[in-house]
Amino acid sequence: MDTFLQQLINGLVLGSVYALVALGYTMVYGILELINFAHGEVTMIGAMVALSVIGALVGAHVDLPGIAIVLVGVLAAIPACMLLGFTIERVAYRPLRNAPRLAPLITAIGVSILLQNLAMVIWGRQYISFPPILPRTTYHLGGATLSALQIFIFVLSLVLMAGLIVLVQKTKLGRAMRATAQSPQVAGLMGVNINSVISLTFIIGSALAAVAGVMVSAYYGIAHYYMGFLLGLKAFTAAVLGGIGNLGGAMLGGLLLGVIESMGAGYIGDITGGFMGSNYQDVFAFFVLILVLVFRPSGLLGERVGERA
Amino acid sequence: MNLRLTHKPLPGLLLIGVALAVAPFVVQAGLGIYWVRILDLALLYMMLALGLNIVVGYAGLLDLGYIAFYAVGAYVYALLASPQFGLHLPFWLVLPAGAAIAAAFGVLLGAPTLRLRGDYLAIVTLGFGEIIRIFINNLDRPVNITNGPQGINLIDPISIGGLSLAQPQVLIPGLSSAHAYYYFFLALTLLAIFICIRLQDSRIGRAWAAIREDETAAEAMGINTRNLKLLAFAMGATFGGLSGGLFASFQGFVSPESFNLMESIMILCMIVLGGMGHIPGVLLGAFLLTILPEALRYIGDFQRAAFGHVIVDPSDLRMLLFGLSLVLMMIFRPAGLWPSTQRRRELGQGGEQVPGLYDEQR
């Protein structure tokens, strides 16, 4: 029971980060039907920028509490990622709007490789460690341990997601986004400036990715130029699990994937009689994904798209 | 471009034949033996790309886990012809076995995913590829099958009638291993091209094209979409398994490292960049993307020549420029470098009629 609760907590925290990144995938997909492969890399750049700022502040012995320093780092990472997301869309995707479907996928992969190696040139190949400036308070909850950082990550993710839902459901921009997702052509006729809506979608997604990047690096204590790849892959899996193009689906998929993964890591040894260890945790996640899609081909919350006539 | 051989003037064909035959010697004289090995790899990737082209280009099923079949083929070869289990079966047994097992995996992947479309299929195939890789990486415990992350070493080279392709100079003086493999791979690549051309024009090929363009309409026309999609997966996987076996014997060493997601993506890039569904385009894409990262190794020399010293480590810059060139090539040639005439015509029309983004049918 203790393991169960502990893995549930770990899974929910990790899952909330997946959900934040997955939202970026799903928003772009909802509007452009494009798998933005470079989104994981945006997350990585966010973590790297934040860590550079945090490292510089810590190195200069600035007399600020740890949380404030991290906050400054996040505030530096957000605009950097927004600019990056905007630029990626402008340079790599917009010229290809009328191109065959797979062409933007290749530019997305190209941008992803480009950013990864750019980060490697700038920040080097080594792991960058997160300075130990955050309070390490832990709480005990029915046999499980819960750190202040975990609570903070989880709560902040929920707040950001709630904010995004309000933005999409209640504001004028959100209405324009939903209209563009339904039919860009008609939305354009109704006076929606599609280009700026698409740009803003990328910007918002990238801002969420920046926050998620800092969270991941703070949680694991390290950042690396390659970290965006696996994170992006997991987040995309989460988005598909929930039903790609669906905001609620991305959140559900993210949380679920996080829980499945940590449960898998915690129990897979017992289930298989010690044959498989926690190194099979990714297999578990993908296996559940395949299983879900076999029974619900458009994801958990995805709309059943009618066959095209 | 029509690849039907009867339409080709004979002199042109002869010229291509001579060029292909002398290519490794010219390359060796100009660039060194290392580049002959790169040529071998390019041929290997051409076979792989032709296989994926069946799945993605012909049948329109986006497969992001194609490298899994390559891995299966490579590991079947490695396990049956290496000291790992002490088995040393001949290649004409092991290669077909690898291809057949890969095809079985293709059906295994295809069967549960038949209902999925587009990007859902992409992510499932991606997951499948990762699952295979993780299993290969971890199947060294509790029973050592794949030797885990260390990989399998000392794999038998292909040997034809007593002529080992690793040491052909024993029988034919002056012929190096890279050359021997070149001719062997070239023969198989030509066979693969022939099979692909025949497939494309066959009843099956036309049925695939129909499924790709509109699955519902194809089904209404009486095409058994389920079997044909499975066949596409199995065919593609066969090519992958075969190339995998060749790769294992060529390298003499396999490890899970060689079969990561990036490799799958690379092969997809080859066919999209070259011109999807169009055999010459696919071959060109495979050739370019094999050569390009190698050619970019020379940027260190270039920097030294231009600035007198190396400013940025070339190995860092190499993949950066590679990513950049992918983006640029796609922006300037979105249909691929060498698309089929049919596809070019479709795109030309599409541009004049409706902008694609706003086209619900896209």
Side-chain angles (χ1 to χ4, degrees), chain A residues 182 242-247 296-306, chain B residues 120:
Chain A
Q182 266 186 15
I244 194 156
N246 182 315
L247 292 184
R296 283 198 62 95
S298 25
L300 290 172
L301 298 185
E303 293 159 35
R304 291 191 175 272
V305 185
Chain B
Y120 290 96

Short mmCIF file of all heavy atoms in Angstrom, two decimals, chain A residues 182 242-247 296-306, chain B residues 120:
data_model
loop_
_atom_site.label_atom_id
_atom_site.label_comp_id
_atom_site.label_asym_id
_atom_site.label_seq_id
_atom_site.Cartn_x
_atom_site.Cartn_y
_atom_site.Cartn_z
N GLN A 182 -11.49 24.41 -35.84
CA GLN A 182 -12.61 23.75 -36.51
C GLN A 182 -12.49 23.87 -38.02
O GLN A 182 -12.61 22.89 -38.75
CB GLN A 182 -13.93 24.37 -36.06
CG GLN A 182 -14.54 23.62 -34.91
CD GLN A 182 -15.89 24.15 -34.58
OE1 GLN A 182 -16.50 24.88 -35.35
NE2 GLN A 182 -16.39 23.78 -33.42
N GLY A 242 -4.67 10.67 -24.76
CA GLY A 242 -5.89 11.36 -24.37
C GLY A 242 -6.77 11.71 -25.56
O GLY A 242 -7.94 12.04 -25.38
N GLY A 243 -6.22 11.68 -26.75
CA GLY A 243 -6.98 12.10 -27.93
C GLY A 243 -6.40 13.40 -28.42
O GLY A 243 -6.66 14.46 -27.87
N ILE A 244 -5.59 13.32 -29.48
CA ILE A 244 -4.82 14.50 -29.85
C ILE A 244 -5.73 15.58 -30.42
O ILE A 244 -6.70 15.30 -31.11
CB ILE A 244 -3.67 14.14 -30.80
CG1 ILE A 244 -2.69 15.30 -30.90
CG2 ILE A 244 -4.15 13.71 -32.16
CD1 ILE A 244 -1.32 14.90 -31.31
N GLY A 245 -5.42 16.83 -30.09
CA GLY A 245 -6.26 17.94 -30.49
C GLY A 245 -7.24 18.34 -29.40
O GLY A 245 -7.94 19.33 -29.53
N ASN A 246 -7.27 17.56 -28.33
CA ASN A 246 -8.24 17.79 -27.27
C ASN A 246 -7.50 18.20 -25.99
O ASN A 246 -6.66 17.45 -25.49
CB ASN A 246 -9.01 16.47 -27.06
CG ASN A 246 -10.09 16.59 -26.01
OD1 ASN A 246 -9.86 17.16 -24.95
ND2 ASN A 246 -11.24 16.04 -26.32
N LEU A 247 -7.79 19.43 -25.50
CA LEU A 247 -7.03 19.95 -24.35
C LEU A 247 -7.20 19.07 -23.12
O LEU A 247 -6.24 18.68 -22.46
CB LEU A 247 -7.47 21.38 -24.02
CG LEU A 247 -7.11 22.45 -25.05
CD1 LEU A 247 -7.52 23.81 -24.54
CD2 LEU A 247 -5.63 22.43 -25.37
N ARG A 296 -9.80 2.18 -28.38
CA ARG A 296 -10.34 3.51 -28.69
C ARG A 296 -9.40 4.19 -29.67
O ARG A 296 -8.50 4.94 -29.28
CB ARG A 296 -10.48 4.34 -27.41
CG ARG A 296 -11.69 3.97 -26.58
CD ARG A 296 -12.03 5.07 -25.60
NE ARG A 296 -12.39 6.30 -26.26
CZ ARG A 296 -13.62 6.66 -26.54
NH1 ARG A 296 -14.61 5.88 -26.21
NH2 ARG A 296 -13.88 7.79 -27.14
N PRO A 297 -9.62 3.97 -30.96
CA PRO A 297 -8.63 4.40 -31.96
C PRO A 297 -8.38 5.90 -32.00
O PRO A 297 -7.39 6.33 -32.57
CB PRO A 297 -9.23 3.94 -33.28
CG PRO A 297 -10.20 2.89 -32.92
CD PRO A 297 -10.70 3.23 -31.57
N SER A 298 -9.25 6.72 -31.41
CA SER A 298 -8.91 8.15 -31.43
C SER A 298 -8.65 8.67 -30.02
O SER A 298 -8.93 9.81 -29.71
CB SER A 298 -9.99 8.96 -32.13
OG SER A 298 -11.21 8.30 -32.09
N GLY A 299 -8.08 7.84 -29.18
CA GLY A 299 -7.69 8.29 -27.86
C GLY A 299 -8.85 8.27 -26.87
O GLY A 299 -10.00 8.04 -27.24
N LEU A 300 -8.52 8.54 -25.60
CA LEU A 300 -9.55 8.41 -24.56
C LEU A 300 -10.66 9.43 -24.73
O LEU A 300 -11.84 9.09 -24.66
CB LEU A 300 -8.90 8.58 -23.18
CG LEU A 300 -7.99 7.41 -22.77
CD1 LEU A 300 -7.24 7.76 -21.50
CD2 LEU A 300 -8.82 6.16 -22.57
N LEU A 301 -10.30 10.69 -24.95
CA LEU A 301 -11.32 11.74 -25.05
C LEU A 301 -11.47 12.25 -26.48
O LEU A 301 -12.19 13.21 -26.72
CB LEU A 301 -10.98 12.92 -24.13
CG LEU A 301 -10.92 12.63 -22.64
CD1 LEU A 301 -10.69 13.92 -21.87
CD2 LEU A 301 -12.18 11.97 -22.15
N GLY A 302 -10.77 11.63 -27.41
CA GLY A 302 -10.83 12.12 -28.78
C GLY A 302 -12.20 11.90 -29.39
O GLY A 302 -12.91 10.95 -29.05
N GLU A 303 -12.58 12.83 -30.27
CA GLU A 303 -13.87 12.66 -30.93
C GLU A 303 -13.73 11.55 -31.96
O GLU A 303 -12.70 11.38 -32.56
CB GLU A 303 -14.27 13.95 -31.64
CG GLU A 303 -14.56 15.08 -30.69
CD GLU A 303 -14.45 16.42 -31.38
OE1 GLU A 303 -14.81 16.49 -32.56
OE2 GLU A 303 -13.98 17.36 -30.74
N ARG A 304 -14.80 10.84 -32.13
CA ARG A 304 -14.77 9.81 -33.16
C ARG A 304 -14.94 10.50 -34.50
O ARG A 304 -16.02 10.95 -34.85
CB ARG A 304 -15.91 8.82 -32.95
CG ARG A 304 -15.69 7.98 -31.72
CD ARG A 304 -16.66 6.83 -31.68
NE ARG A 304 -16.34 5.98 -30.55
CZ ARG A 304 -15.48 4.98 -30.63
NH1 ARG A 304 -14.88 4.72 -31.77
NH2 ARG A 304 -15.22 4.25 -29.58
N VAL A 305 -13.82 10.60 -35.22
CA VAL A 305 -13.87 11.29 -36.50
C VAL A 305 -14.54 10.37 -37.51
O VAL A 305 -14.17 9.22 -37.66
CB VAL A 305 -12.45 11.62 -36.97
CG1 VAL A 305 -12.49 12.44 -38.24
CG2 VAL A 305 -11.70 12.33 -35.88
N GLY A 306 -15.57 10.89 -38.16
CA GLY A 306 -16.26 10.09 -39.16
C GLY A 306 -15.35 9.80 -40.34
O GLY A 306 -14.45 10.57 -40.64
N TYR B 120 -2.15 8.63 -35.29
CA TYR B 120 -2.30 7.62 -34.26
C TYR B 120 -1.47 6.40 -34.63
O TYR B 120 -0.80 5.80 -33.79
CB TYR B 120 -3.77 7.24 -34.09
CG TYR B 120 -4.57 8.33 -33.46
CD1 TYR B 120 -5.28 9.23 -34.22
CD2 TYR B 120 -4.58 8.48 -32.08
CE1 TYR B 120 -5.99 10.25 -33.64
CE2 TYR B 120 -5.29 9.49 -31.49
CZ TYR B 120 -6.00 10.39 -32.27
OH TYR B 120 -6.69 11.40 -31.68
#
